[in-house]
């Protein structure tokens, strides 16, 4: 079970920024800073793809409403990435069945992704973009810090990840009312656009009694 803390931490981080996790683990493995990273994550093509996608996320994640669309698209990608990375880490260690590791990494990634996506909905109820930039930057730094820490102190990093996940779930519950208001307003805007588009046709016949 020695790899389980690293699996849990990488799963939590994948739910926040899956590309950063793959990129960091690959770089640490390729540079020889750790031997815990499987060779599949150290391949040049994997590192290039992860780097390009990380840059795309770094931009999209800081733009109001664009980050919501990006999160929606990654509702599947982040948990799958967390499961794959976890399975690879378990296969490298040989101390935990890959299927169980994938389940832990994927489910943890899904939970942290839902916390992130829900929190962003609440943040986007405010029109200014500075909150998005600050939160996105903090998330990137948290992922980088905890993955680096996990490679050398996996148990302590897993405890920190568990605390952050619990705090995130609590915050999401606290912000639930704000998120509902955001969803209602978005639905109202869609309905207003639909009505405006429907009103673009020929005007209705108004010759009903009382002619000129």
């Amino acid at each position: 079970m020695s790899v389980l803390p690293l699996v849990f931490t990488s799963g939590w981080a994948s739910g926040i920024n899956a590309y950063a996790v793959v990129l960091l683990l690959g770089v640490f493995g390729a540079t020889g800073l750790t031997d815990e990273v499987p060779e599949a994550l150290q391949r040049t093509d994997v590192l290039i793809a992860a780097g390009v996608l990380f840059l795309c996320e770094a931009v999209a994640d800081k733009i109001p409403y664009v980050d919501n669309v990006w999160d929606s698209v990654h509702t599947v990608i982040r948990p799958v990435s967390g499961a794959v990375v976890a399975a690879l880490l378990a296969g490298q260690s040989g101390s935990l069945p890959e299927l169980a590791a994938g389940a832990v990494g994927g489910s943890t990634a899904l939970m942290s992704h839902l916390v992130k996506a829900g929190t962003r909905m609440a943040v986007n109820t405010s029109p200014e973009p500075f909150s998005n930039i600050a939160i996105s930057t903090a998330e990137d730094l948290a992922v980088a810090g905890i993955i680096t820490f996990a490679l050398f102190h996996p148990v302590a990093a897993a405890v920190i990840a568990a605390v952050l996940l619990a705090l995130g779930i609590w915050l999401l519950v606290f912000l639930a009312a704000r998120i509902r208001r955001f969803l209602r307003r978005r639905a109202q805007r869609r309905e207003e656009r639909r009505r405006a588009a429907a009103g673009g046709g020929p005007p209705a016949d108004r010759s009903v009694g009382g002619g000129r």
Side-chain angles (χ1 to χ4, degrees), residues 183-207:
L183 293 175
R184 281 199 300 269
R185 281 206 294 264
R186 187 168 66 175
Q188 289 171 355
R189 285 195 295 269
R190 288 177 178 173
E191 181 64 18
E192 289 170 359
R193 287 196 296 267
R194 187 189 68 79
R195 290 179 178 177
D205 184 10
R206 296 180 181 176
S207 58

Side-chain angles (χ1 to χ4, degrees), residues 11 14 77-89 98 101-107 109:
S14 294
I77 296 174
R78 286 169 182 159
V80 170
S81 178
V84 171
V85 169
L88 289 173
L89 291 172
E98 294 181 22
V104 172
S107 59

Side-chain angles (χ1 to χ4, degrees), residues 2-3 36 88-96:
S2 61
V3 76
E36 295 290 332
L88 289 173
L89 291 172
Q92 178 80 357
S93 172
S95 59
L96 187 70

Side-chain angles (χ1 to χ4, degrees), residues 11 14-18 57 61 67 70-83 105-106 109-110 113 116-117:
S14 294
I16 305 298
N17 193 326
E57 175 147 343
D61 207 39
D67 58 349
W70 186 267
D71 286 338
S72 298
V73 172
H74 284 75
T75 300
V76 174
I77 296 174
R78 286 169 182 159
V80 170
S81 178
L110 177 60
H113 162 75
K116 172 178 179 172

